[in-house]
Amino acid sequence: MLTEENKDLLEELEENKTSSDTIDTSFENILETSSEESPDPLSVLSSELADQKDKLLRLYAEFENYKRRTSKERIDLIKTAGQDVIVEMISILDDFDRAQRIAKETNNSSNYTEGMSLLHQKLITLLSNRGLHTMNSTGQVFDPELHEAIAEIPAPSEDLKGKIVDTVEKGYLLSDKIIRFAKVVIGK
């Protein structure tokens, strides 16, 4: 015995049920449609991963080529670094050859001595233009970072104690970097 109120409620329920079925059906349709339209997220990620691997592989290959090219350039630079200085020194070597030939032909020792002096000055000028400088050691305080002591003798005077008395081999600086230490005799 359904009362009028109950009948109304029942009708409302049935209407709601039909509308909810319709909503459920349309939701399922939306899900199916959206899954058909958008690809599987796993396949999207795997294709992106493959693209990134390809990019990484290409970048690695490019870097390896860069390393190989720069090392080859560095080796070439080291092989030919002193070429311009050597080319300039060849002219001085030619001058030495001419001086020896003339000295043998003329037997004049004064001309030979003067020629050797000029060649020595030419060589010093060339090397100093390239940044080579000699160290002034005699009379200086001994510094183990600049000098190599090869002998120690009694100082000829009190002011030369602990100082360099004689320079056996000059020391050389190339652009403020020591390339050969001065070999010196120290007064004690």
Side-chain angles (χ1 to χ4, degrees), residues 119-155:
L119 289 174
H120 182 260
Q121 187 58 41
K122 187 175 181 181
L123 183 61
I124 288 173
T125 303
L126 168 76
L127 294 174
S128 66
N129 288 341
R130 294 295 176 165
L132 185 72
H133 303 285
T134 59
M135 286 186 224
N136 296 328
S137 300
T138 305
Q140 303 289 322
V141 176
F142 176 73
D143 183 359
E145 292 186 15
L146 299 174
H147 309 109
E148 180 181 339
I150 58 170
E152 193 173 68
I153 62 170

Side-chain angles (χ1 to χ4, degrees), residues 32-163:
E32 287 175 8
T33 309
S34 68
S35 68
E36 290 172 2
E37 291 174 2
S38 66
D40 182 27
L42 186 59
S43 65
V44 169
L45 288 176
S46 64
S47 67
E48 286 180 13
L49 179 63
D51 289 343
Q52 293 300 323
K53 280 184 179 179
D54 184 52
K55 286 180 184 178
L56 179 66
L57 185 62
R58 290 176 189 274
L59 184 63
Y60 181 74
E62 186 177 329
F63 181 68
E64 286 297 318
N65 290 338
Y66 168 77
K67 282 188 351 186
R68 194 175 309 118
R69 185 175 58 249
T70 55
S71 67
K72 183 180 183 283
E73 289 171 357
R74 189 178 313 123
I75 289 170
D76 291 344
L77 181 64
I78 289 170
K79 285 180 180 177
T80 60
Q83 179 178 351
D84 54 342
V85 174
I86 291 173
V87 167
E88 290 181 36
M89 289 179 72
I90 289 174
S91 68
I92 296 173
L93 184 63
D94 292 338
D95 291 343
F96 271 111
D97 291 339
R98 279 191 288 276
Q100 283 180 336
R101 188 178 63 244
I102 290 172
K104 286 179 184 177
E105 291 172 359
T106 61
N107 287 331
N108 188 347
S109 63
S110 65
N111 285 343
Y112 183 74
T113 306
E114 185 180 333
M116 288 298 120
S117 174
L118 290 173
L119 289 174
H120 182 260
Q121 187 58 41
K122 187 175 181 181
L123 183 61
I124 288 173
T125 303
L126 168 76
L127 294 174
S128 66
N129 288 341
R130 294 295 176 165
L132 185 72
H133 303 285
T134 59
M135 286 186 224
N136 296 328
S137 300
T138 305
Q140 303 289 322
V141 176
F142 176 73
D143 183 359
E145 292 186 15
L146 299 174
H147 309 109
E148 180 181 339
I150 58 170
E152 193 173 68
I153 62 170
S157 64
E158 280 297 315
D159 61 326
L160 288 178
K161 284 189 176 182
K163 293 187 177 180

Side-chain angles (χ1 to χ4, degrees), residues 7-23:
K7 283 184 187 179
D8 289 336
L9 282 172
L10 188 59
E11 283 177 19
E12 258 183 71
L13 256 174
E14 285 180 15
E15 284 176 22
N16 284 341
K17 183 180 176 195
T18 358
S19 69
S20 77
D21 286 343
T22 310
I23 291 172

